């Protein structure tokens, strides 16, 4: 089993809708979770980090962490065409210290 | 966040040659990493560059093919040796402080003919 699994996508949503991106992980000892956004032809940029169970909101972005179920999600409210990108999740810490990225989910927001 | 620069930004190389990619950070960082990303694919970690000691390579990557240097806490190089077309990819330098948040350089786009 891969350490980090993301919903495969691609995901297409209309402008103004909520985009939901999900990620599951296998290492129960994982301490930190991150969401990165990567525009085509660009390098990944960190957009959200979450360390404890529950929700963390930053503008239109909400990260949700459920350690018991071993999943982390990213919600993008009022999606904009500029949100169209590949979103990567990552965990770190845990028993096997490794900076593991998921394969990414391509999100397209249609005007 | 750290400001990371990479040189060159892109290159076209002949089969059998080697290319050294430089990564410079504007502040001292604990950890530096080298990733490869092929078109439409996710990030693949090549190795962790350790300051003052040999790099730690991931499965499938070896020092002879990807020698790495890290002479100090702000600089690292990755060499792609004896290149073949399969080495065509984007190579990304990344840094982290304490293994938490991670930041990426702009990448080096390598094409091997």
């Amino acid at each position: 089993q891969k350490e980090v699994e993301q919903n495969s996508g691609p995901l297409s949503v209309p402008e103004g809708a909520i985009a939901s991106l999900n990620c599951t992980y296998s290492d129960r000892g994982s301490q930190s979770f991150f969401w990165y956004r990567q525009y085509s032809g660009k390098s990944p940029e960190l957009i959200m980090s979450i360390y404890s169970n529950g929700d963390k909101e930053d503008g239109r972005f909400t990260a949700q962490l459920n350690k018991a179920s071993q999943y982390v999600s990213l919600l993008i409210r009022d999606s904009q065409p500029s949100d169209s990108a590949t979103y990567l999740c990552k965990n770190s810490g845990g028993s096997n210290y490794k900076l593991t990225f998921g394969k990414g989910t391509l999100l397209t927001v249609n005007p | 966040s750290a400001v990371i620069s990479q040189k060159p930004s892109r290159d076209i190389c002949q089969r059998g040659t080697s290319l050294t990619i430089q990564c410079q950070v504007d502040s001292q960082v604990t950890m530096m990493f080298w990733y490869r990303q092929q078109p439409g694919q996710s990030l693949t970690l090549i190795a962790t560059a350790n300051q003052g000691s040999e790099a730690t390579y991931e499965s499938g990557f070896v020092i002879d093919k990807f020698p790495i240097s890290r002479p100090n806490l702000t600089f690292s190089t990755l060499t792609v040796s004896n290149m073949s077309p399969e080495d065509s990819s984007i190579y990304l330098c990344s840094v982290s402080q304490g293994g938490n948040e991670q930041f990426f350089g702009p990448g080096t786009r390598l094409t091997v003919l």
Side-chain angles (χ1 to χ4, degrees):
Chain A
Q1 180 184 4
K2 294 182 180 176
E3 288 200 36
V4 177
E5 300 260 13
Q6 291 189 241
N7 51 337
S8 56
L11 178 65
S12 181
V13 300
E15 184 174 356
I18 296 175
S20 177
L21 304 160
N22 301 309
C23 181
T24 59
Y25 59 93
S26 59
D27 187 345
R28 284 194 169 275
S30 297
Q31 300 295 316
S32 312
F33 303 86
F34 307 90
W35 283 98
Y36 289 79
R37 177 177 62 200
Q38 186 174 25
Y39 292 115
S40 180
K42 301 294 185 182
S43 57
E45 59 177 321
L46 178 66
I47 56 171
M48 288 285 283
S49 57
I50 187 166
Y51 301 93
S52 54
N53 278 328
D55 295 359
K56 179 181 177 182
E57 189 173 314
D58 184 0
R60 296 186 295 110
F61 297 91
T62 299
Q64 300 175 319
L65 174 60
N66 185 322
K67 289 188 177 183
S69 301
Q70 295 177 247
Y71 82 78
V72 57
S73 62
L74 180 70
L75 301 178
I76 306 174
R77 292 183 301 282
D78 187 24
S79 295
Q80 301 297 308
S82 59
D83 296 324
S84 297
T86 296
Y87 289 81
L88 302 154
C89 72
K90 191 198 83 169
N91 66 342
S92 70
S95 58
N96 181 20
Y97 178 82
K98 192 180 280 281
L99 300 172
T100 306
F101 284 88
K103 282 193 171 182
T105 301
L106 176 62
L107 171 66
T108 301
V109 180
N110 300 304
Chain B
S1 64
V3 176
I4 307 165
S5 60
Q6 282 186 238
K7 290 181 184 179
S9 58
R10 59 178 63 227
D11 208 341
I12 300 173
C13 301
Q14 295 298 317
R15 178 194 302 257
T17 63
S18 298
L19 176 72
T20 295
I21 302 168
Q22 298 180 5
C23 177
Q24 179 74 54
V25 191
D26 69 342
S27 59
Q28 294 185 342
V29 293
T30 307
M31 306 187 78
M32 295 182 78
F33 309 92
W34 288 97
Y35 287 83
R36 182 170 73 183
Q37 186 173 36
Q38 298 184 312
Q41 303 297 312
S42 188
L43 301 163
T44 301
L45 180 62
I46 297 171
T48 301
N50 302 309
Q51 193 265 331
S53 64
E54 202 169 275
T56 303
Y57 289 84
E58 297 300 308
S59 176
F61 297 96
V62 294
I63 188 171
D64 290 347
K65 175 68 175 176
F66 297 101
I68 286 171
S69 78
R70 189 175 173 192
N72 56 52
L73 293 175
T74 63
F75 185 78
S76 178
T77 66
L78 168 74
T79 299
V80 187
S81 303
N82 188 25
M83 288 184 285
S84 67
E86 292 72 35
D87 294 320
S88 297
S89 188
I90 297 172
Y91 291 84
L92 292 155
C93 172
S94 177
V95 305
S96 179
Q97 283 285 23
N100 292 322
E101 297 177 337
Q102 198 171 348
F103 302 96
F104 288 84
T108 296
R109 184 179 296 271
L110 171 64
T111 302
V112 184
L113 303 177

